[in-house]
mmCIF file of all heavy atoms in Angstrom:
data_model
loop_
_atom_site.group_PDB
_atom_site.id
_atom_site.type_symbol
_atom_site.label_atom_id
_atom_site.label_comp_id
_atom_site.label_asym_id
_atom_site.label_seq_id
_atom_site.Cartn_x
_atom_site.Cartn_y
_atom_site.Cartn_z
ATOM 1 N N ALA A 1069 -7.170 34.290 -188.890
ATOM 2 C CA ALA A 1069 -6.819 33.131 -188.341
ATOM 3 C C ALA A 1069 -7.964 32.408 -187.702
ATOM 4 O O ALA A 1069 -8.394 31.260 -188.067
ATOM 5 C CB ALA A 1069 -5.673 33.300 -187.332
ATOM 6 N N SER A 1071 -12.096 32.833 -186.078
ATOM 7 C CA SER A 1071 -13.336 33.741 -186.028
ATOM 8 C C SER A 1071 -14.325 32.931 -185.067
ATOM 9 O O SER A 1071 -14.429 31.698 -185.102
ATOM 10 C CB SER A 1071 -13.944 33.934 -187.324
ATOM 11 O OG SER A 1071 -13.228 34.754 -188.004
ATOM 12 N N LEU A 1153 -6.137 27.455 -165.102
ATOM 13 C CA LEU A 1153 -7.333 27.008 -165.694
ATOM 14 C C LEU A 1153 -8.062 28.250 -166.466
ATOM 15 O O LEU A 1153 -8.204 29.250 -165.882
ATOM 16 C CB LEU A 1153 -8.364 26.495 -164.619
ATOM 17 C CG LEU A 1153 -9.817 26.313 -165.023
ATOM 18 C CD1 LEU A 1153 -9.966 25.207 -166.131
ATOM 19 C CD2 LEU A 1153 -10.698 26.042 -163.871
ATOM 20 N N PRO A 1169 -6.890 22.650 -155.086
ATOM 21 C CA PRO A 1169 -5.864 23.340 -154.304
ATOM 22 C C PRO A 1169 -4.617 23.494 -155.049
ATOM 23 O O PRO A 1169 -3.769 24.484 -154.684
ATOM 24 C CB PRO A 1169 -5.547 22.475 -153.061
ATOM 25 C CG PRO A 1169 -6.117 21.194 -153.403
ATOM 26 C CD PRO A 1169 -7.240 21.295 -154.427
ATOM 27 N N PHE A 1209 5.372 45.086 -181.883
ATOM 28 C CA PHE A 1209 5.432 43.529 -181.887
ATOM 29 C C PHE A 1209 5.296 43.055 -183.294
ATOM 30 O O PHE A 1209 4.194 43.283 -183.850
ATOM 31 C CB PHE A 1209 4.348 43.115 -180.872
ATOM 32 C CG PHE A 1209 4.356 41.596 -180.778
ATOM 33 C CD1 PHE A 1209 5.438 40.798 -180.378
ATOM 34 C CD2 PHE A 1209 3.284 40.702 -181.155
ATOM 35 C CE1 PHE A 1209 5.418 39.429 -180.153
ATOM 36 C CE2 PHE A 1209 3.185 39.460 -181.191
ATOM 37 C CZ PHE A 1209 4.326 38.827 -180.610
ATOM 38 N N ASP A 1213 9.596 38.774 -183.965
ATOM 39 C CA ASP A 1213 9.736 38.696 -182.461
ATOM 40 C C ASP A 1213 9.224 37.361 -181.972
ATOM 41 O O ASP A 1213 9.511 36.916 -180.782
ATOM 42 C CB ASP A 1213 8.951 39.759 -181.786
ATOM 43 C CG ASP A 1213 9.421 41.121 -182.076
ATOM 44 O OD1 ASP A 1213 10.641 41.297 -182.097
ATOM 45 O OD2 ASP A 1213 8.638 42.115 -182.403
ATOM 46 N N ASN A 1249 3.046 13.637 -186.926
ATOM 47 C CA ASN A 1249 2.617 12.711 -187.988
ATOM 48 C C ASN A 1249 1.218 12.812 -188.552
ATOM 49 O O ASN A 1249 1.054 12.762 -189.704
ATOM 50 C CB ASN A 1249 2.857 11.216 -187.498
ATOM 51 C CG ASN A 1249 2.874 10.385 -188.612
ATOM 52 O OD1 ASN A 1249 3.811 10.406 -189.575
ATOM 53 N ND2 ASN A 1249 2.111 9.354 -188.759
ATOM 54 N N HIS A 1275 -11.735 17.364 -177.797
ATOM 55 C CA HIS A 1275 -11.442 15.992 -178.243
ATOM 56 C C HIS A 1275 -10.498 16.062 -179.464
ATOM 57 O O HIS A 1275 -10.471 16.979 -180.167
ATOM 58 C CB HIS A 1275 -12.745 15.278 -178.750
ATOM 59 C CG HIS A 1275 -13.699 14.959 -177.674
ATOM 60 N ND1 HIS A 1275 -15.051 14.495 -177.857
ATOM 61 C CD2 HIS A 1275 -13.524 14.851 -176.287
ATOM 62 C CE1 HIS A 1275 -15.512 14.290 -176.702
ATOM 63 N NE2 HIS A 1275 -14.716 14.465 -175.732
ATOM 64 N N ARG A 1298 -22.174 27.539 -181.147
ATOM 65 C CA ARG A 1298 -23.501 27.133 -180.562
ATOM 66 C C ARG A 1298 -23.762 25.693 -181.009
ATOM 67 O O ARG A 1298 -22.938 25.052 -181.794
ATOM 68 C CB ARG A 1298 -24.649 28.050 -181.222
ATOM 69 C CG ARG A 1298 -24.703 28.002 -182.776
ATOM 70 C CD ARG A 1298 -25.495 29.128 -183.391
ATOM 71 N NE ARG A 1298 -24.594 30.285 -183.552
ATOM 72 C CZ ARG A 1298 -25.170 31.421 -184.095
ATOM 73 N NH1 ARG A 1298 -26.349 31.456 -184.455
ATOM 74 N NH2 ARG A 1298 -24.404 32.391 -184.177
ATOM 75 N N VAL A 1320 -18.665 14.176 -187.399
ATOM 76 C CA VAL A 1320 -19.052 12.894 -187.007
ATOM 77 C C VAL A 1320 -20.223 12.366 -187.770
ATOM 78 O O VAL A 1320 -21.080 13.251 -188.205
ATOM 79 C CB VAL A 1320 -19.331 12.711 -185.410
ATOM 80 C CG1 VAL A 1320 -18.070 13.132 -184.660
ATOM 81 C CG2 VAL A 1320 -20.393 13.687 -185.062
ATOM 82 N N LEU A 1345 -36.493 6.779 -208.708
ATOM 83 C CA LEU A 1345 -35.172 6.291 -208.380
ATOM 84 C C LEU A 1345 -34.986 4.759 -208.758
ATOM 85 O O LEU A 1345 -34.013 4.208 -208.740
ATOM 86 C CB LEU A 1345 -34.862 6.419 -206.883
ATOM 87 C CG LEU A 1345 -34.375 7.946 -206.546
ATOM 88 C CD1 LEU A 1345 -34.341 8.080 -205.013
ATOM 89 C CD2 LEU A 1345 -33.030 8.301 -207.118
ATOM 90 N N VAL A 1347 -36.132 3.747 -211.711
ATOM 91 C CA VAL A 1347 -36.178 3.750 -213.184
ATOM 92 C C VAL A 1347 -34.839 3.779 -213.711
ATOM 93 O O VAL A 1347 -34.223 4.922 -213.587
ATOM 94 C CB VAL A 1347 -37.191 4.695 -213.804
ATOM 95 C CG1 VAL A 1347 -37.185 4.739 -215.340
ATOM 96 C CG2 VAL A 1347 -38.535 4.657 -213.165
ATOM 97 N N MET A 1353 -30.015 10.407 -213.307
ATOM 98 C CA MET A 1353 -30.310 11.889 -213.466
ATOM 99 C C MET A 1353 -30.703 12.421 -212.026
ATOM 100 O O MET A 1353 -30.210 13.489 -211.742
ATOM 101 C CB MET A 1353 -31.215 12.144 -214.563
ATOM 102 C CG MET A 1353 -30.783 11.742 -215.905
ATOM 103 S SD MET A 1353 -32.143 11.733 -217.173
ATOM 104 C CE MET A 1353 -32.772 13.430 -216.978
ATOM 105 N N VAL A 1363 -24.345 19.099 -202.288
ATOM 106 C CA VAL A 1363 -23.030 19.714 -202.393
ATOM 107 C C VAL A 1363 -23.230 21.255 -202.227
ATOM 108 O O VAL A 1363 -22.490 21.982 -201.453
ATOM 109 C CB VAL A 1363 -22.165 19.474 -203.652
ATOM 110 C CG1 VAL A 1363 -21.138 20.521 -203.925
ATOM 111 C CG2 VAL A 1363 -21.826 18.042 -203.617
ATOM 112 N N CYS A 1404 -4.368 7.627 -180.701
ATOM 113 C CA CYS A 1404 -3.472 7.854 -181.823
ATOM 114 C C CYS A 1404 -3.534 9.247 -182.389
ATOM 115 O O CYS A 1404 -3.237 9.474 -183.574
ATOM 116 C CB CYS A 1404 -3.925 6.890 -183.002
ATOM 117 S SG CYS A 1404 -3.349 5.195 -182.564
ATOM 118 N N LEU A 1426 -0.295 7.472 -193.188
ATOM 119 C CA LEU A 1426 1.141 7.747 -193.184
ATOM 120 C C LEU A 1426 1.910 7.246 -191.896
ATOM 121 O O LEU A 1426 1.577 7.664 -190.905
ATOM 122 C CB LEU A 1426 1.231 9.293 -193.454
ATOM 123 C CG LEU A 1426 2.838 9.741 -193.624
ATOM 124 C CD1 LEU A 1426 3.354 9.261 -194.975
ATOM 125 C CD2 LEU A 1426 2.922 11.160 -193.512
ATOM 126 N N ASP A 1476 -11.056 -2.435 -180.738
ATOM 127 C CA ASP A 1476 -12.129 -2.682 -181.706
ATOM 128 C C ASP A 1476 -11.781 -3.813 -182.513
ATOM 129 O O ASP A 1476 -10.587 -4.243 -182.714
ATOM 130 C CB ASP A 1476 -12.056 -1.358 -182.584
ATOM 131 C CG ASP A 1476 -12.581 -0.149 -181.797
ATOM 132 O OD1 ASP A 1476 -13.302 -0.277 -180.895
ATOM 133 O OD2 ASP A 1476 -12.068 1.026 -182.135
ATOM 134 N N PRO A 1517 -31.424 2.214 -155.165
ATOM 135 C CA PRO A 1517 -32.143 1.188 -154.438
ATOM 136 C C PRO A 1517 -32.972 0.243 -155.255
ATOM 137 O O PRO A 1517 -33.682 0.914 -156.303
ATOM 138 C CB PRO A 1517 -32.875 1.779 -153.300
ATOM 139 C CG PRO A 1517 -32.205 3.035 -153.180
ATOM 140 C CD PRO A 1517 -31.634 3.449 -154.376
ATOM 141 N N ALA A 1571 -25.615 13.537 -172.209
ATOM 142 C CA ALA A 1571 -25.666 12.143 -171.710
ATOM 143 C C ALA A 1571 -26.920 11.816 -170.822
ATOM 144 O O ALA A 1571 -26.912 10.947 -169.972
ATOM 145 C CB ALA A 1571 -24.395 11.752 -171.015
ATOM 146 N N GLN A 1572 -28.028 12.598 -171.063
ATOM 147 C CA GLN A 1572 -29.268 12.396 -170.355
ATOM 148 C C GLN A 1572 -29.916 11.124 -170.818
ATOM 149 O O GLN A 1572 -30.203 10.842 -171.992
ATOM 150 C CB GLN A 1572 -30.141 13.631 -170.598
ATOM 151 C CG GLN A 1572 -29.502 14.874 -170.135
ATOM 152 C CD GLN A 1572 -29.497 15.042 -168.594
ATOM 153 O OE1 GLN A 1572 -30.566 15.106 -167.981
ATOM 154 N NE2 GLN A 1572 -28.382 14.959 -168.026
#
Side-chain angles (χ1 to χ4, degrees):
S1071 291
L1153 169 63
F1209 177 62
D1213 296 319
N1249 198 59
H1275 287 168
R1298 60 196 83 175
V1320 293
L1345 281 170
V1347 180
M1353 294 169 61
V1363 166
C1404 285
L1426 180 70
D1476 295 327
Q1572 298 288 294

